[in-house]
Amino acid sequence: MNKELLEKLLLTTLTPYLLMSDEVADIHLKNVNLSINDRVGDSMDGLQVIIFDNLLPRHFHVKNKDGSLNAKFTIDGCKYLSGEISDADLKKIELFAKSNKGEIILHTILSPYIG
């Protein structure tokens, strides 16, 4: 799988979490197995995911157009490394990492490719 395809896969999966309201995120944090019914189309609302597999620790950036979100996360465990991010967006990315889809993306698909 090439890196561009993996970036699109990660972006497509992560975006619904970042777009959910704080109230909905709180509900999902209490039960990470809930499904997300409000899917996002090909438009990713100005979000961008970039995988850096040549820098240690191997990580990805999540960015938006206005710069209010520009943060780095490890691929292994989706741990916040640095950058600009609101507490609400950080909570949503943590929710993504705990979800079934997030675990599949991070552990099954990205880790073998990156590692």
Side-chain angles (χ1 to χ4, degrees):
M1 224 183 259
N2 68 36
K3 189 165 82 169
E4 290 80 19
L5 182 60
L6 290 172
E7 288 171 348
K8 181 156 177 86
L9 178 64
L10 182 55
L11 177 62
T12 302
T13 308
L14 179 58
T15 298
Y17 290 91
L18 287 170
L19 295 178
M20 68 175 52
S21 70
D22 291 342
E23 295 80 19
V24 171
D26 288 336
I27 292 168
H28 279 269
L29 278 171
K30 292 175 185 165
N31 183 357
V32 296
N33 293 319
L34 290 176
S35 66
I36 296 179
N37 294 323
D38 297 326
R39 301 303 300 168
V40 178
D42 285 339
S43 169
M44 295 299 149
D45 293 311
L47 291 171
Q48 181 181 23
V49 170
I50 305 163
I51 297 172
F52 289 87
D53 58 349
N54 58 346
L55 299 171
L56 295 177
R58 297 186 189 336
H59 64 280
F60 63 94
H61 287 230
V62 180
K63 299 180 177 186
N64 66 4
K65 285 183 183 177
D66 70 9
S68 62
L69 173 59
N70 184 2
K72 296 191 299 188
F73 297 86
T74 64
I75 290 172
D76 182 24
C78 198
K79 296 178 188 101
Y80 171 70
L81 294 172
S82 65
E84 296 295 322
I85 187 167
S86 68
D87 290 341
D89 283 342
L90 182 59
K91 176 173 64 174
K92 293 170 187 175
I93 290 175
E94 289 169 351
L95 173 60
F96 158 76
K98 291 178 183 178
S99 73
N100 290 336
K101 287 182 183 181
E103 287 183 2
I104 289 169
I105 298 293
L106 293 169
H107 298 289
T108 306
I109 298 172
L110 289 182
S111 289
Y113 169 76
I114 300 297

